[in-house]
Amino acid sequence: MTEAGTAPVTSICPAPRVRVQAMKEYHPPLGSRDLLRLDFNENTFACSPKVREVLGSISAGSLTRYPEREPVEAIVATHLGLAADQVALTNGVDEAIHVLFEAFLEASDELLLPVPTYTMYEVYASATDARVVAVQSADDLQFPFERLLAAITPKTKVIAIANPNSPSGSVATPEQLLQIAHRAPHAVLFVDEAYFHFHGETVMGLVGAIPNLIVARTFSKAYGLAGLRLGLLAGPVDLMRWVRRVLSPYSVNSLALACLPSALEDEAYLAWYVDEVLAARAVFEAALDQAKIRRWPSSANFVLVDIGSQHAEFVRLMRASGVLVRDRSNDPGCEGRVRITIGTREQMQQAIVALNQAVTKLNLGAQAK
Ligand code: PMP
């Protein structure tokens, strides 16, 4: 011993699982974000005022109790037209992904993943013994349907599809998803509808009817509750049973549970926010076209743009103008691409000013053919 409590350098340190040692570190840039937040696809404005009211009415005494999830799960299930045992609330969709992979993926299994896609699928998969089989999209970043079908094997255990996808904004059609479910009856088809409200199309209505379909939704995006950490999984009872074995009964906190019914009830607020974002997206896309910045069509509250080799400088210039955007250059097939969240029309005016300044400074539009 050197000093009391400090171990010598040579001491044996407990090793984590080999899988965990091999995991890549993932630190999303969550620091210093008191600017216009067009970097994480959150709601950029506020949650419903009705939710705010509920938060204000929470008593000190009520916080002393452990949260009870089931009554709120029943409310959410009714809202979705499902039975209560088909729905599990989670601590954000991130926990849903974690729990789903823990429940279904083991050694010799394959996780099929169209890429580029949401980073956390690969992060949580890498903590399991399963193999990730990535199916690369073409340059148009459309959903690689045929290639995905061709990649299904008897070992495929989970197929994870974000719909709409991030960072591309592209979508799979319900018909394509149905075909995939049908072609891989031995696998869970996990459809992550985090951005559903900006797209409008869903396979939630097929939950229960398709025996291998599990759908996720989040309250972090359109509902504006990212800070409360609230998501859900919906699927047939025979699959949800296993999800519930792994899911902590305590992981959704009581503030989130208290707020959820009001968030669901205030449909007018949700509709207002979604309409605002869709209108702002059209304005922003027009500005991108005018600046001759290549963009991919988006069905979500963000747009992926091609900045090219000056991507890091672009992100830095935008930040200097008070606008946070997200460099996606490290995503497969996304070199030079930056994802920009869409906020309100007023916020996007600020973004357009910043964009045009950066474009001029970096001489970007002139490089476009
Ligand atoms: N799925 C997708 C496709 C996402 O883009 C995100 C958020 N970045 C999530 C899930 C995470 O959602 P939550 O905040 O509910 O964990």
Side-chain angles (χ1 to χ4, degrees), residues 40 92-94 118 121 162 166 192 194-195 218 220-221 229-230:
F40 274 83
V93 170
D94 278 358
Y118 181 45
Y121 302 146
S166 174
D192 179 349
Y195 300 102
T218 182
S220 296
K221 309 295 180 185
R229 311 303 301 126
L230 204 44

Side-chain angles (χ1 to χ4, degrees), residues 10 72 166 195 198 220-221 313 344:
T10 52
V72 189
S166 174
Y195 300 102
F198 305 102
S220 296
K221 309 295 180 185
E313 185 60 5
T344 63

Side-chain angles (χ1 to χ4, degrees), residues 93-151:
V93 170
D94 278 358
E95 186 192 31
I97 300 163
H98 195 179
V99 163
L100 189 75
F101 289 4
E102 284 299 314
F104 286 96
L105 290 176
E106 57 191 340
S108 85
D109 286 342
E110 292 176 352
L111 166 71
L112 212 53
L113 213 55
V115 295
T117 192
Y118 181 45
T119 311
M120 294 307 288
Y121 302 146
E122 193 146 8
V123 172
Y124 287 131
S126 69
T128 73
D129 290 320
R131 192 166 79 89
V132 176
V133 177
V135 179
Q136 180 68 48
S137 294
D139 182 62
D140 63 6
L141 297 184
Q142 290 303 292
F143 178 58
F145 176 57
E146 296 296 341
R147 257 183 274 176
L148 193 79
L149 281 184

Side-chain angles (χ1 to χ4, degrees), residues 186 273 305 349:
H186 54 291
Y273 186 72
V305 299
Q349 285 307 330

Side-chain angles (χ1 to χ4, degrees), residues 33-327:
R33 296 182 66 226
D34 287 335
L35 299 167
L36 178 52
R37 296 174 288 109
L38 305 185
D39 50 350
F40 274 83
N41 300 342
E42 300 151 306
N43 175 313
T44 57
F45 186 68
C47 65
S48 150
K50 301 228 162 75
V51 169
R52 195 74 191 82
E53 261 171 50
V54 174
L55 279 173
S57 73
I58 285 168
S59 69
S62 70
L63 291 178
T64 61
R65 281 207 230 171
Y66 282 112
E68 190 190 0
R69 220 172 52 203
E70 281 78 9
V72 189
E73 269 171 359
I75 293 171
V76 177
T78 305
H79 181 84
L80 296 172
L82 298 171
D85 52 3
Q86 291 178 309
V87 175
L89 290 173
T90 59
N91 190 274
V93 170
D94 278 358
E95 186 192 31
I97 300 163
H98 195 179
V99 163
L100 189 75
F101 289 4
E102 284 299 314
F104 286 96
L105 290 176
E106 57 191 340
S108 85
D109 286 342
E110 292 176 352
L111 166 71
L112 212 53
L113 213 55
V115 295
T117 192
Y118 181 45
T119 311
M120 294 307 288
Y121 302 146
E122 193 146 8
V123 172
Y124 287 131
S126 69
T128 73
D129 290 320
R131 192 166 79 89
V132 176
V133 177
V135 179
Q136 180 68 48
S137 294
D139 182 62
D140 63 6
L141 297 184
Q142 290 303 292
F143 178 58
F145 176 57
E146 296 296 341
R147 257 183 274 176
L148 193 79
L149 281 184
I152 293 170
T153 74
K155 290 182 175 177
T156 306
K157 190 61 164 300
V158 177
I159 305 172
I161 299 174
N163 196 41
N165 188 30
S166 174
S168 61
S170 65
V171 289
T173 66
E175 294 73 26
Q176 288 173 328
L177 295 171
L178 263 174
Q179 272 199 55
I180 293 164
H182 188 68
R183 287 276 285 275
H186 54 291
V188 174
L189 172 60
F190 171 60
V191 180
D192 179 349
E193 295 189 346
Y195 300 102
F196 152 73
H197 297 92
F198 305 102
H199 177 42
E201 217 166 56
T202 177
V203 288
M204 191 63 89
L206 300 173
V207 164
I210 307 292
N212 56 338
L213 173 69
I214 293 187
V215 178
R217 291 271 180 92
T218 182
F219 292 84
S220 296
K221 309 295 180 185
Y223 285 101
L225 298 174
L228 283 184
R229 311 303 301 126
L230 204 44
L232 65 87
L233 285 174
V237 176
D238 281 348
L239 297 183
M240 294 306 290
R241 183 147 55 104
W242 305 117
V243 166
R244 266 184 238 280
R245 288 265 174 108
V246 181
L247 185 61
S248 160
Y250 310 113
S251 63
V252 182
N253 71 71
S254 53
L255 299 185
L257 291 173
C259 290
L260 209 160
S262 298
L264 288 177
E265 269 164 35
D266 198 352
E267 288 178 2
Y269 178 81
L270 190 70
W272 169 79
Y273 186 72
V274 170
D275 285 351
E276 182 63 33
V277 166
L278 296 184
R281 191 177 72 196
V283 173
F284 190 67
E285 285 176 340
L288 287 167
D289 293 348
Q290 199 165 14
K292 298 194 166 55
I293 300 294
R294 183 183 177 202
R295 63 175 172 86
W296 280 262
S298 173
S299 298
N301 65 334
F302 54 84
V303 179
L304 189 70
V305 299
D306 188 8
I307 299 299
S309 58
Q310 301 188 86
H311 55 91
E313 185 60 5
F314 175 80
V315 172
R316 202 191 60 72
L317 283 175
M318 291 293 281
R319 178 184 263 275
S321 301
V323 182
L324 301 174
V325 296
R326 193 83 179 272
D327 198 336

